[in-house]
Amino acid sequence: MDSYRQLAAAQKGRGRGAPAYSLYVNRPVGRILAAWAHTIGLTPNQVTAISAALSIAAIAALAVVPASVWLGVVAWLLLALGYAFDSADGQVARLRGGGSPAGEWLDHVIDSFKNVALPLAVVIGWYRFVALPSMIWLLVPMVMATATTVQFFAMILNDLLRARQGVAQAVEMGGSSVTRSLLGLPTDYGVVCLSFLLWGFEGAFVVVFTLLTLAEVGYLCLALPTWFGRMKQL
């Protein structure tokens, strides 16, 4: 309980427009996991390793196990827990007095792996186990993999270049707009994880995943010119 109270009083600032699931669900769950991990003596890197193991297990299962309702539930649970532990590693680092460049590097490498591997697991699962009306639908998760990778790299590069110029990251210590958070839900990794509850309902999942992909592409088309404009101002 002491660890949990310390974390509640030392949360990092909210990113401007952070999606609602990440903000209101994943971070609080991660806080509970971080308090537990700190209590039993886990290091931030060990928490990151747990996050990676859970995510990899889900991604592998989607690629090699025939699609079913129960697999969708298991995949969602593993992905959601992996995402929560991904939030917990940084919180454990704060409890221990701060993180390290190596820990931050490891966290970002795992995140970049998930951005590519999860949509590609969908490609494999659809190709092997789902009766798609046309193979052209396999392009949908490929587009998702491309869009999420570009977004992640651009966001990391934004922070890197801003820091190099001595410009603080854009955070809102008092909280982000609820409206902006809700509008960002379709691009939230947690919502993508949640969509796998439909993995056993093939037609519904194809529709929902396609809509999430369109939302991700739409967000990226709006964000990239804005970010480029900010880089020109540095």
Side-chain angles (χ1 to χ4, degrees), residues 86-145:
D86 184 34
S87 173
D89 57 8
Q91 300 189 59
V92 172
R94 286 196 291 280
L95 279 173
R96 293 166 62 95
S100 67
E104 185 174 2
W105 179 90
L106 181 63
D107 184 49
H108 289 332
V109 168
I110 298 302
D111 286 343
S112 63
F113 168 80
K114 291 189 299 185
N115 284 336
V116 176
L118 182 57
L120 292 185
V122 174
V123 174
I124 297 171
W126 280 3
Y127 181 77
R128 297 186 65 194
F129 307 119
V130 177
L132 295 170
S134 169
M135 289 295 102
I136 198 171
W137 287 98
L138 294 177
L139 291 175
V140 171
M142 293 181 186
V143 170
M144 173 68 92

Side-chain angles (χ1 to χ4, degrees), residues 4-26:
Y4 184 84
R5 283 192 291 267
Q6 291 177 45
L7 281 170
Q11 289 297 295
K12 67 180 181 179
R14 295 175 177 179
R16 184 172 299 159
Y21 180 95
S22 295
L23 202 56
Y24 301 115
V25 177
N26 199 60

Side-chain angles (χ1 to χ4, degrees), residues 21 25 30 38 60 63 88 129 136 146 149 151-152 163 187 227 230-231:
Y21 180 95
V25 177
H38 184 258
F129 307 119
I136 198 171
T146 303
T149 300
Q151 179 187 340
F152 182 75
T187 66
W227 293 340
R230 291 174 183 170
M231 292 302 105

